[in-house]
């Protein structure tokens, strides 16, 4: 092979690496490495040396767990298998949240349903204590049959929600449009299973059937790759040095935008960006986020 052709091939491969934006594969660790129970400890069951756990919900209580550390940016993922069967009224949650009154929050919430009806995945982003940015989608698989990976990539430029390797939502840093972005409040990671039958299923019309209890959600993976910071930290000590903080993760690549478009066209059932009843004037971030 001539040296000029070899040079061209190397440049092509480097260009691909530079623009591809697929997150690194999570590293599975036991529950106790990164997490501790938060409430109702006896409703958490441990398996395989803590590499897998179950959260149990009954008519007395749900349960949850949280990260040991607080993080200012990073990549966080969890393998979850949702409550099977009649899960109406239940919510399985995986989210990041800061700990003050004007809090920031990044949410995955899985809303249960009657047997045979699909789960609804609701995402939301709170900044400075303000949310109201709900998006809801159906999933393209049954999340109760096997584990699937749900991930949040958060850096100074964007927040990306992933289901397996499919981006389902992007929230850009639009500070220059007057839209607040989470950048200076470290967050803990929370997971929970709880009863929310006052709103979760058909706006609260479908109530939890306690004869089906206990409701069980299973978790494994427990991956955390973030900039650990004290609760009062205002910046990340490793800013610009971690893989999720590199230029190729400032935006989605073309293939990922196509996959997000596929989710919007085929599986999205609610998007605050297109709700003219709530927002007669479209929120400014929606156009830049290409989420209309």
């Amino acid at each position: 092979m001539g040296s000029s052709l070899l040079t061209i091939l190397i440049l092509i491969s480097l260009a691909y690496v530079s623009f591809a934006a697929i997150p690194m594969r999570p590293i599975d660790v036991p529950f106790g490495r990164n997490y501790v129970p938060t409430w109702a400890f006896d409703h958490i069951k441990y398996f395989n040396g803590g590499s897998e756990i179950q959260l149990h919900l009954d008519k007395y209580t749900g349960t949850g767990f949280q990260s040991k550390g607080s993080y200012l940016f990073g990549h966080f993922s969890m393998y979850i298998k949702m409550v099977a069967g009649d899960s109406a009224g239940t919510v399985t949650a995986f989210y990041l949240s800061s700990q003050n009154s004007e809090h920031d929050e990044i949410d995955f919430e899985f809303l249960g349903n009657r047997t045979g009806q699909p789960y609804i995945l609701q995402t939301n982003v709170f900044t400075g204590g303000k949310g109201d940015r709900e998006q809801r989608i159906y999933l393209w698989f049954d999340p109760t049959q096997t584990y699937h990976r749900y991930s949040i990539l958060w850096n100074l430029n964007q927040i990306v929600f992933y289901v397996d390797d499919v981006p389902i939502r992007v929230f850009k840093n639009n500070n220059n449009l007057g839209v607040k972005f989470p950048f200076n409040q470290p967050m803990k990671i929370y997971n929970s299973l709880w009863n929310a039958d006052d709103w979760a299923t058909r706006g609260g019309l479908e109530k939890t059937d306690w004869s089906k209890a206990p409701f069980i959600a299973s978790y494994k993976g427990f991956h955390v790759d973030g900039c650990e910071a004290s609760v009062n930290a205002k910046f990340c000590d490793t800013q610009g040095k971690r893989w999720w903080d590199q230029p190729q993760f400032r935006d989605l690549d073309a293939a990922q935008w196509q996959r997000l478009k596929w989710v919007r066209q085929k599986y999205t059932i609610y998007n605050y960006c297109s709700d003219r009843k709530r927002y007669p004037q479209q929120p400014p971030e929606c156009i830049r986020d290409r989420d209309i």
Side-chain angles (χ1 to χ4, degrees):
M1 181 183 293
S3 59
S4 60
L5 179 58
L6 179 61
T7 300
I8 291 170
L9 290 175
I10 291 172
L11 289 173
I12 290 172
S13 65
L14 287 174
Y16 176 78
V17 170
S18 296
F19 290 101
I22 299 173
M24 290 182 65
R25 197 77 179 174
I27 298 174
D28 295 346
V29 297
F31 172 83
R33 176 81 61 84
N34 293 319
Y35 288 96
V36 292
T38 310
W39 46 291
F41 293 13
D42 60 337
H43 281 55
I44 301 178
K45 311 301 179 185
Y46 299 85
F47 301 91
N48 302 320
S51 63
E52 182 177 356
I53 69 167
Q54 290 180 349
L55 303 187
H56 286 226
L57 165 68
D58 57 31
K59 64 181 180 180
Y60 301 106
T61 186
T63 188
F65 59 96
Q66 70 180 48
S67 61
K68 294 178 179 178
S70 297
Y71 301 91
L72 194 57
F73 308 124
H75 181 248
F76 314 96
S77 68
M78 194 73 64
Y79 287 89
I80 310 175
K81 184 164 58 176
M82 303 300 159
V83 174
D86 188 343
S87 58
T90 69
V91 173
T92 306
F94 166 41
Y95 63 101
L96 279 65
S97 182
S98 61
Q99 290 89 51
N100 55 30
S101 57
E102 294 189 358
H103 77 294
D104 296 333
E105 188 170 313
I106 305 169
D107 293 344
F108 276 109
E109 292 180 314
F110 302 87
L111 314 182
N113 219 329
R114 290 293 174 217
T115 302
Q117 299 298 312
Y119 257 83
I120 292 173
L121 168 53
Q122 175 172 286
T123 59
N124 204 349
V125 177
F126 287 74
T127 58
K130 181 187 180 301
D132 298 328
R133 299 186 178 97
E134 298 91 347
Q135 292 182 359
R136 291 185 174 191
I137 68 169
Y138 289 133
L139 296 164
W140 47 96
F141 53 84
D142 183 347
T144 72
Q145 293 299 304
T146 189
Y147 282 101
H148 287 269
R149 188 173 73 251
Y150 305 94
S151 307
I152 295 166
L153 187 148
W154 170 38
N155 60 32
L156 192 56
N157 298 282
Q158 64 177 354
I159 297 164
V160 186
F161 296 78
Y162 291 92
V163 174
D164 294 323
D165 288 323
V166 178
I168 64 160
R169 180 173 186 175
V170 175
F171 186 81
K172 292 284 190 181
N173 186 339
N174 289 301
N175 257 328
N176 61 339
L177 296 180
V179 180
K180 290 184 178 181
F181 184 84
F183 75 97
N184 64 354
Q185 295 191 76
M187 300 197 227
K188 286 186 178 291
I189 311 157
Y190 297 89
N191 294 265
S192 59
L193 173 61
W194 50 291
N195 177 48
D197 66 4
D198 57 330
W199 66 271
T201 307
R202 295 184 60 213
L205 295 176
E206 301 282 356
K207 299 300 182 182
T208 305
D209 182 355
W210 293 113
S211 70
K212 302 294 196 302
F215 302 99
I216 300 173
S218 302
Y219 290 75
K220 68 177 184 179
F222 309 112
H223 165 82
V224 173
D225 185 353
C227 178
E228 190 164 359
S230 70
V231 173
N232 297 317
K234 298 297 183 183
F235 63 92
C236 172
D237 290 339
T238 59
Q239 189 76 36
K241 300 177 182 177
R242 309 288 280 272
W243 68 263
W244 38 260
D245 210 13
Q246 298 307 302
Q248 61 265 38
F249 294 100
R250 293 175 184 170
D251 199 357
L252 301 186
D253 61 25
Q256 288 182 316
W257 279 117
Q258 282 299 116
R259 299 185 92 178
L260 178 57
K261 184 177 179 181
W262 172 74
V263 172
R264 281 288 162 270
Q265 292 177 342
K266 293 182 66 70
Y267 297 101
T268 300
I269 57 175
Y270 177 80
N271 185 351
Y272 81 105
C273 285
S274 52
D275 189 340
R276 291 294 166 271
K277 193 170 183 179
R278 286 177 71 190
Y279 298 102
Q281 185 172 354
Q282 190 173 66
E285 69 271 17
C286 295
I287 294 175
R288 185 177 288 179
D289 289 354
R290 297 161 68 174
D291 217 346
I292 55 175

